[in-house]
Amino acid sequence: MAERTATIASRVGLHARPAAIFAEAAGELDLEVTIALPGEPADEAMDASSILSLMGLGAEHGTTVVLRAEGPGADAALDQLVGILETDHDAE
Amino acid sequence: MSTIHGIGVSPGRIIGQVRRMADPIDAPQDPGAQELASPGYVEEATARLTEAGRAVAAGLRARAGQAHGAGAEVLSATALMATDSMLHKTAGKALAAGRGLEPAIWEAAETVAAMLTSLGGYMAERAADVLDVRSRLIAELRGVPAPGIPDSGSPFILLARDLAPADTATLDPAQVTALVTSEGGPQSHTAILARALGLPAIVAAVGAESIVEGTDIYVDGAAGTVCTCPGTEEQAAALAFAARGPLEVFNGHGTTADGHPVPLLANVGGGSDAVAAAAAGAEGVGLLRTEFCFLGRDAEPGHDEQVAAYGAVFVEFPGRKVVVRTLDAGADKPLPFLTDATEPNPALGVRGFRTSAGTPGVLARQLAAIAAAAAAHQAQVKVMAPMISTAQEATDFAALCAVAGLPDPGVMVEVPSAAVRAASVLRPVAFASIGTNDLTQYTLAADRQLAPLAALNDPWQPAVLELIRLTVAGAEAAGDSSAPLRPVGVCGEAAADPALAVVLVGLGVASLSMTARALAPVAAVLRTVTHAQAVSLAALAVEAEGPAQARAAVRAALPVLDELGL
């Protein structure tokens, strides 16, 4: 099981456009990636490709989240997703 | 042949094929117990739902590709919701528990929407997107057209109950040649959009629901009539309208026939509007709506961002007047960080200038940003506050402007109390601008969006014209040695109606500000009447028994309207 933590960089938090960009990227992977707040049990983590789950997470600017995935290529995939979360998409 | 009467809100005569905006989707029922118990029902239902999700997502993505800016972003995010695992898993649980396919997805979306609503703010607004996706999924499952503006290979006349702001974002003026709504009033979103796009439009056309999809109809947007079996007379009228010479381009000098100047300004909502307004000859900007900087945001935009946004408008009008309306949040324009979405009666709630009492910093920071942008450009920048009701509020606003270093502040007259007490309300400030849309809604106590009240919600109502006359008289009485003149302008939709524009000038209104597209027709009509004629037409309108009589009396005296197809 690969695991990464990331800090939300977007000023509006993980909603609106940043959530759509992230959910779309997670959905394009051949892996199942989950997202959770730190300290939450891994089996209660949510589907990272679900924009509705992401919005329900309520992650604001500066919130830390935990990404998990299993299988070949998981480490590289998580690194890519961490990169998306740690970019301020509102600054573009 | 049958004729349906409504209220004409945007002129033009045209014949075209009718396409109806699909009806909203009703709550579904469970299928019979026998079907539910049939072997493989859950598996088949799950597969159908997955398939419908893919189809809806593909459709929304295609539309996102045709839209632009914020509209495209919303559509892309909505497309993701159609295949969202949370939505589909919730529906799957209901299916497994023995519900039918349609009720399962209906209730799943309800649950998800409620979750978003409970989060408040931006998330609560997205709840409507989830419900929109739900309607699309069920329409797909039933094989009926999705709610919203239809897709058609060829141009058509759109028939709807009323248009919502969300529909107006996706309306393609190359596809839609005219608008007919059975509901909505002269100040509805439909009317405002039609005038901005220059599409012939009729609202509150009772009986329009019975028009048969796909038939040819004739629309006269000036007269407010729909003819369901156009004959040779209508064909000739539509041909004549299509063949009419283009209106003379506005030469940048609004004036009456006898040379009485009436500056014609533009209402703009951002930099790209300002470019179009300058190209259309606008003599300045009479209303810069600053909401574009704030709407759809969770937090107040920063100083630099605001300075850049206002500067993008100022740069188009060097040496010209640009009137900036400070943030007008509330009522139909809620902002999570400024307004309370749970007010029972938002039009009478904390909106416009009133928001500054509870959240004082926002307005001061906006004024500072406007002053900084003004200093960087050559435009003659003035500011005005929306929803001023009392002299005290005008004084408070003037004090804030003085702190920001913005000279000659103004107020909007939208509340009847400000019109009735114009002399004292205008004394602390340098000018007034009448917002006829809200002034009408508040004078007649009639919600702008409610179709049954469309006849009340008409700026031709003599009571509204009387309040405009009172405002001009009050402005004259407020004059003193420091400022003998406090000009009164109009920046509501009324200024875009060429016949009503003549009446406003006759009532003593000094300048008119309108959607850029209306500049040429208003200028053309104004140039045919002397100031004295405008004054007597204004008297005729104020003394009329009602809006229909006022409109008819003035139009009868202005044959140029018919000649120009207005």
Side-chain angles (χ1 to χ4, degrees):
Chain A
M1 172 80 73
E3 186 175 312
R4 296 284 187 283
T5 58
T7 306
I8 308 297
S10 277
R11 266 170 272 174
V12 299
L14 194 53
H15 6 115
R17 203 158 75 94
I21 293 169
F22 180 77
E24 201 147 30
E28 280 165 8
L29 299 169
D30 288 329
L31 298 159
E32 280 194 12
V33 182
T34 66
I35 186 166
L37 295 174
E40 284 182 349
D43 56 355
E44 283 178 24
M46 294 191 277
D47 178 0
S49 69
S50 159
I51 188 168
L52 295 169
S53 298
L54 295 178
M55 287 163 70
L57 203 59
E60 303 294 336
H61 170 80
T63 301
T64 303
V65 296
V66 181
L67 302 181
R68 293 187 186 90
E70 200 154 7
D75 284 288
L78 291 190
D79 286 337
Q80 182 212 340
L81 293 177
V82 166
I84 293 174
L85 291 181
E86 299 198 332
T87 303
D88 181 2
H89 296 280
D90 299 311
E92 283 164 15
Chain B
M1 177 179 93
S2 92
T3 301
I4 293 166
H5 295 272
I7 297 177
V9 290
S10 182
R13 299 177 189 130
I14 197 162
I15 292 178
Q17 209 174 51
V18 167
R19 290 264 172 269
R20 184 186 297 274
M21 192 137 128
D23 289 331
I25 300 285
D26 295 330
Q29 302 291 317
D30 266 329
Q34 205 179 351
E35 188 183 340
L36 275 176
S38 66
Y41 178 83
V42 173
E43 291 73 19
E44 196 201 329
T46 309
R48 282 187 62 206
L49 184 57
T50 305
E51 191 46 47
R54 283 197 194 116
V56 169
L60 287 168
R61 264 189 217 105
R63 279 178 60 203
Q66 293 161 3
H68 34 76
E73 273 174 28
V74 169
L75 287 168
S76 301
T78 313
L80 286 172
M81 292 178 189
T83 54
D84 193 277
S85 61
M86 181 196 245
L87 183 62
H88 283 258
K89 275 182 192 155
T90 311
K93 279 182 200 155
L95 273 172
R99 300 305 309 271
L101 172 55
E102 289 187 9
I105 187 65
W106 185 268
E107 284 155 26
E110 195 92 47
T111 306
V112 173
M115 179 271 288
L116 291 175
T117 304
S118 70
L119 293 171
Y122 173 86
M123 299 303 179
E125 290 170 35
R126 299 280 76 75
D129 299 342
V130 175
L131 298 180
D132 176 57
V133 161
R134 168 173 84 177
S135 295
R136 291 176 181 281
L137 287 170
I138 291 186
E140 181 70 30
L141 290 170
R142 290 181 187 169
V144 300
I149 295 170
D151 293 319
S152 172
S154 53
F156 58 93
I157 294 174
L158 180 63
L159 177 66
R161 276 209 315 213
D162 194 9
L163 295 184
D167 301 317
T168 63
T170 53
L171 190 145
D172 177 3
Q175 282 289 301
V176 177
T177 57
L179 298 171
V180 177
T181 65
S182 54
E183 298 183 2
Q187 329 259 19
S188 63
H189 287 287
T190 306
I192 292 168
L193 176 83
R195 281 188 286 255
L197 295 176
L199 294 176
I202 299 171
V203 299
V206 180
E209 318 82 73
S210 65
I211 298 173
V212 180
E213 169 95 11
T215 55
D216 279 348
I217 62 169
Y218 168 76
V219 171
D220 184 336
T225 52
V226 176
C227 176
T228 54
C229 301
T232 50
E233 194 182 321
E234 286 75 24
Q235 277 164 7
L239 279 175
F241 182 78
R244 81 200 185 287
L247 270 177
E248 207 179 308
V249 177
F250 175 46
N251 66 7
H253 295 284
T255 169
T256 59
D258 54 339
H260 176 89
V262 182
L264 301 182
L265 314 165
N267 295 349
V268 305
S272 58
D273 274 5
V275 172
E283 295 177 65
V285 171
L287 169 65
L288 168 57
R289 302 183 179 97
T290 53
E291 291 76 61
F292 74 98
C293 232
F294 292 81
L295 286 179
R297 306 278 296 236
D298 283 16
E300 182 189 349
H303 177 82
D304 294 347
E305 187 183 343
Q306 290 194 50
V307 172
Y310 307 145
V313 175
F314 299 167
V315 71
E316 297 300 324
F317 291 92
R320 297 306 190 111
K321 181 163 89 167
V322 176
V323 182
V324 185
R325 179 179 70 187
T326 58
L327 185 56
D328 187 18
D332 58 341
K333 289 168 289 199
L335 279 183
F337 55 92
L338 211 53
T339 59
D340 174 7
T342 62
E343 278 180 353
N345 205 344
L348 302 183
V350 181
R351 56 167 299 201
F353 180 71
R354 300 167 177 189
T355 58
S356 70
T359 322
V362 178
L363 180 56
R365 287 188 288 274
Q366 184 181 28
L367 290 170
I370 293 167
H377 294 279
Q378 308 303 313
Q380 297 171 33
V381 175
K382 302 198 181 295
V383 289
M384 63 180 180
M387 281 297 284
I388 293 291
S389 317
T390 64
Q392 183 61 51
E393 287 176 349
T395 304
D396 293 346
F397 180 66
L400 281 170
C401 292
V403 169
L406 287 161
D408 305 331
V411 293
M412 287 202 69
V413 173
E414 304 167 280
V415 182
S417 64
V420 171
R421 299 284 296 162
S424 66
V425 170
L426 294 194
R427 210 158 278 138
V429 296
F431 71 95
S433 184
I434 300 177
T436 45
N437 306 357
D438 275 327
L439 184 61
T440 306
Q441 131 163 305
Y442 293 131
T443 302
L444 280 301
D447 188 320
R448 283 163 67 171
Q449 304 297 338
L450 286 184
L453 306 179
L456 290 176
N457 230 314
D458 187 333
W460 282 92
Q461 285 282 355
V464 175
L465 302 178
E466 180 70 45
L467 284 176
I468 294 171
R469 200 182 61 74
L470 276 176
T471 306
V472 171
E476 281 167 13
D480 51 35
S481 55
S482 70
L485 275 179
R486 282 173 172 72
V488 175
V490 167
C491 66
E493 291 293 315
D497 173 343
L500 193 46
V502 169
V503 170
L504 295 173
V505 169
L507 288 171
V509 167
S511 63
L512 300 171
S513 190
M514 62 203 75
T515 174
R517 201 175 279 272
L519 288 165
V522 168
V525 173
L526 208 52
R527 229 175 284 134
T528 65
V529 287
T530 64
H531 190 253
Q533 284 169 332
V535 170
S536 59
L537 285 175
L540 215 57
V542 174
E543 282 151 26
E545 200 180 306
Q549 292 88 339
R551 193 186 267 112
V554 172
R555 288 191 69 92
L558 294 170
V560 62
L561 291 169
D562 249 2
E563 286 162 29
L564 296 174
L566 296 171

